[in-house]
Amino acid sequence: MKLSIITVVYKNLVGLRVTGASIAVQKCRDFEWIVIDGGSDDGTKEYLSTSGHAPSYWVSERDKGIYDAMNKGLRAAHGEYVLFLNAGDRIADENGLSNLMSGQLTADVVFGDLNF
């Protein structure tokens, strides 16, 4: 597996759904999606356990903040590359990951543009 997508979320079910929907339509499927939830009580756990496009791995528990959550995601990741895509963020279109992963990545860090 080449890519791990890590999403951290806390009480942002609406944003998580946006993120999940953009991941679900990706043509490139060679990735894992990891969701680290800080123990939300807004229906996030229910969404993660019943969603049609459930993550490869998820956990819902209190943490010490966003960076602790990101580190939990990194510890769970198996990919050669990591994409942090927080709740509410989305991949621009269904070819986003295909475009990113189409070349022979050799760099230690890859970055790109974003749209608001």
Side-chain angles (χ1 to χ4, degrees):
M1 177 180 332
K2 196 93 167 166
L3 180 67
S4 296
I5 301 171
I6 299 173
T7 300
V8 297
V9 60
Y10 181 63
K11 294 186 179 183
N12 187 3
L13 177 57
V14 172
L16 183 61
R17 287 177 191 231
V18 167
T19 303
S22 81
I23 291 171
V25 298
Q26 292 304 301
K27 290 182 179 177
C28 171
R29 302 306 305 168
D30 187 23
F31 66 86
E32 64 180 345
W33 182 32
I34 297 166
V35 177
I36 309 298
D37 171 44
S40 301
D41 59 3
D42 63 349
T44 295
K45 287 185 277 193
E46 292 77 13
Y47 167 77
L48 291 170
S49 62
T50 61
S51 172
H53 42 270
S56 311
Y57 171 84
W58 66 273
V59 65
S60 180
E61 61 189 16
R62 290 220 176 261
D63 52 49
K64 297 174 185 162
I66 190 168
Y67 299 111
D68 184 38
M70 292 170 120
N71 284 321
K72 283 182 188 180
L74 284 173
R75 285 190 293 273
H78 295 98
E80 187 176 340
Y81 289 91
V82 174
L83 169 62
F84 284 101
L85 195 66
N86 295 324
D89 295 346
R90 62 185 170 86
I91 302 167
D93 61 46
E94 73 245 7
N95 295 308
L97 292 184
S98 295
N99 293 338
L100 174 67
M101 304 306 288
S102 64
Q104 292 294 331
L105 291 176
T106 58
D108 292 332
V109 176
V110 179
F111 66 94
D113 294 329
L114 57 111
N115 296 318
F116 284 98

